C-alpha cells in the first residue's frame, strides 16, 4: 500500500498506458479496479533492493513521484512483468520495445571486452573491487566481496547498464570460474538454484576470486552438506542433453540419480574432476514427458523429440532430452517415486 505500508494480494492487469489492480474476494477479482498506476513518465527499478527480506520486488515511480512496490512470486515472474511494464512505458518508441525483447534471455558481453579484461580491472589496487573480511555463521572469510558490491562495481565501470545485465555478467564470471561463492548463503544458491539465479545481487552473499578460494574456504558445515547430498544410493545414471538456464543452449551432461536423499545431479563430461556442475533435490518435483509434435513452450532452438521436463518445488524448470522414447520413459519412471 502506498498510503498504509502493508502488503496485500492484488490482481494486476497491464494495459498499454496503465497498470490496473483489483481486490480479490472469494478467489475472484472484483469487477471494478481498486486503483491504477499511470505509466506515462514512470521509471521502473528491477531488481529493487530497498526491502532486504523481499528480493522479488519491482519499484515503479510515477512522474508525480509516487512510489509503488510490487512483489512477485518468483524471479522468473518478476523479470517477465518488468520487461512487459517497461515495454508499455516505452510503447511510443517501438525500436526500444524491440530491443527490450531482444535483450530478454540473450544478454551478450559488450564487444571488445573479455571476461579476462573485467577480472584484471577488478584486481586493480586503486579502482578495482574492494576486498574485505566478512563473518558469516561463525566462519571468517578474508578478501571477499558481496554480490551487490560486484553488481554496483560492474555498473559503475560501465561493464553493464542495469542490475539485470550486471547479474548476468557476474553469473558468467562465476560459470567460467573467475569468482567463487563462499559462505552458506551464496553456496546454497549455487547448489539449488537454476543458472539465472545462482549469483545473488545481495549484500549478505559472499564471493571471492577463485584463485584465493583454497586458502579461505574451511567451513566443515559446507563440506558435510556436500557429502550428505552426494551420499545417496545411485538409482540410475547416464548421458542426457540439457538446456542451459541462462544462454538456452543445449549441452551433453552425465546425470546421476540418487535416493536417500533424493537428488538429481549433472556433470560436465569434458572435465576430469568428479564434481557436479549442478543438481537439485527431487522432493516436491514434478516430472513429465513433453509432446513430440514440434518445439514445446519454454524450449529454445529447434530441439524436438524425446523431451521431458522437471519442475522443482521452487518452480525452476529443467528441460532434458533423452536419446529415445524408451530412455525418456525409463528416466521418468525412475524419478517419479523419488519426488
Amino acid at each position: 500500500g502506498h498510503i498504509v505500508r502493508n502488503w496485500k494480494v492484488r490482481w494486476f492487469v497491464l494495459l498499454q498506458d496503465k497498470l490496473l489492480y483489483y481486490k480479490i474476494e472469494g478467489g475472484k477479482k472484483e469487477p471494478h479496479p481498486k486503483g491504477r498506476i499511470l505509466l506515462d513518465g514512470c521509471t521502473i527499478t528491477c531488481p529493487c533492493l530497498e526491502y532486504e527480506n523481499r528480493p522479488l520486488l519491482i519499484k515503479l515511480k510515477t512522474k508525480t513521484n509516487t512510489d509503488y512496490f510490487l512483489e512477485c512470486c518468483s524471479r522468473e515472474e518478476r523479470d517477465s512483468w518488468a520487461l512487459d511494464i517497461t515495454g508499455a512505458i516505452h510503447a511510443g518508441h517501438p525500436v526500444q520495445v524491440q530491443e527490450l525483447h531482444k535483450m530478454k534471455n540473450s544478454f551478450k558481453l559488450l564487444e571488445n571486452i573479455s571476461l579476462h579484461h573485467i577480472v584484471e580491472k577488478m584486481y586493480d589496487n586503486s579502482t578495482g573491487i574492494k576486498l574485505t573480511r566478512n563473518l558469516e555463521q561463525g566462519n571468517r572469510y578474508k578478501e571477499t566481496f558481496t554480490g551487490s558490491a560486484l553488481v554496483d562495481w560492474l555498473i559503475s565501470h560501465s561493464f553493464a547498464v542495469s542490475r539485470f545485465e550486471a547479474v548476468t555478467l557476474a553469473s558468467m564470471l562465476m560459470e567460467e570460474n573467475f569468482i567463487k561463492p563462499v559462505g552458506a548463503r551464496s553456496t546454497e544458491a549455487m547448489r539449488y538454484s537454476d543458472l539465472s539465479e545462482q549469483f545473488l545481487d545481495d549484500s549478505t552473499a559472499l564471493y571471492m576470486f577463485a584463485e584465493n578460494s583454497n586458502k579461505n574456504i574451511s567451513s566443515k558445515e559446507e563440506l558435510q552438506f556436500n557429502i550428505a547430498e552426494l551420499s545417496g544410493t545411485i538409482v540410475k545414471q547416464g548421458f542426457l542433453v540439457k538446456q542451459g538456464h541462462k544462454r538456452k543452449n543445449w549441452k551433453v551432461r552425465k546425470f546421476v540419480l540418487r535416493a536417500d536423499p533424493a537428488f538429481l545431479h549433472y556433470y560436465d563430461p569434458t572435465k576430469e574432476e568428479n564434481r557436479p556442475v549442478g543438481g537439485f533435490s527431487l522432493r516436491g518435483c514434478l516430472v513429465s514427458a513433453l509432446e513430440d509434435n514440434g518445439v514445446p513452450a519454454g524450449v529454445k532452438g529447434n530441439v524436438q523429440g524425446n523431451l521431458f521436463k522437471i519442475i522443482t518445488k521452487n518452480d525452476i524448470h529443467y528441460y532434458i532430452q533423452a536419446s529415445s522414447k524408451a530412455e525418456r520413459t525409463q528416466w521418468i519412471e525412475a524419478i517419479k517415486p523419488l519426488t
Side-chain angles (χ1 to χ4, degrees), residues 92-265:
H93 307 279
V95 174
Q96 285 182 275
V97 176
Q98 189 177 13
E99 288 301 316
L100 282 166
H101 284 276
K102 281 183 182 178
M103 185 184 76
K104 191 176 185 182
N105 296 323
S106 62
F107 169 67
K108 293 182 180 179
L109 199 59
L110 295 174
E111 291 183 13
N112 304 321
I113 296 180
S114 69
L115 294 178
H116 287 90
H117 173 72
I118 293 173
V119 173
E120 283 179 11
K121 292 290 186 183
M122 289 174 67
Y123 271 109
D124 189 281
N125 287 331
S126 57
T127 61
I129 192 160
K130 303 302 179 186
L131 302 180
T132 59
R133 293 171 178 262
N134 283 283
L135 185 69
E136 185 196 52
Q137 293 186 356
N139 296 307
R140 189 178 299 278
Y141 302 100
K142 301 177 183 177
E143 299 182 329
T144 59
F145 46 88
T146 66
S148 56
L150 178 53
V151 169
D152 292 338
W153 185 89
L154 289 168
I155 293 173
S156 66
H157 286 73
S158 302
F159 290 117
V161 298
S162 67
R163 300 195 82 81
F164 170 79
E165 285 192 6
V167 167
T168 305
L169 189 50
S171 299
M172 292 167 70
L173 290 170
M174 191 164 64
E175 189 176 352
E176 297 301 324
N177 205 35
F178 288 109
I179 63 173
K180 282 191 172 182
V182 289
R185 179 135 169 73
S186 55
T187 53
E188 192 171 303
M190 180 81 171
R191 192 175 288 126
Y192 291 121
S193 301
D194 70 45
L195 286 175
S196 64
E197 300 176 4
Q198 285 185 352
F199 179 86
L200 299 175
D201 180 3
D202 191 287
S203 61
T204 63
L206 302 181
Y207 299 88
M208 63 171 51
F209 292 114
E211 67 177 34
N212 295 339
S213 63
N214 290 337
K215 57 187 179 183
N216 280 275
I217 298 176
S218 60
S219 169
K220 293 181 179 179
E221 289 182 11
E222 291 175 22
L223 181 63
Q224 290 170 353
F225 194 85
N226 269 321
I227 292 172
E229 184 177 311
L230 298 170
S231 65
T233 304
I234 294 178
V235 176
K236 185 174 177 61
Q237 57 183 315
F239 292 94
L240 298 165
V241 184
K242 173 185 168 295
Q243 177 176 275
H245 289 280
K246 186 163 71 248
R247 290 194 277 272
K248 305 298 181 183
N249 50 354
W250 291 81
K251 291 184 179 179
V252 175
R253 294 288 183 251
K254 179 186 177 182
F255 280 79
V256 178
L257 177 63
R258 293 181 173 89
D260 300 321
F263 274 84
L264 183 62
H265 292 98

Side-chain angles (χ1 to χ4, degrees), residues 328-337:
R328 176 177 67 180
T329 301
Q330 290 169 8
W331 274 100
I332 291 174
E333 290 180 351
I335 291 169
K336 273 187 176 178

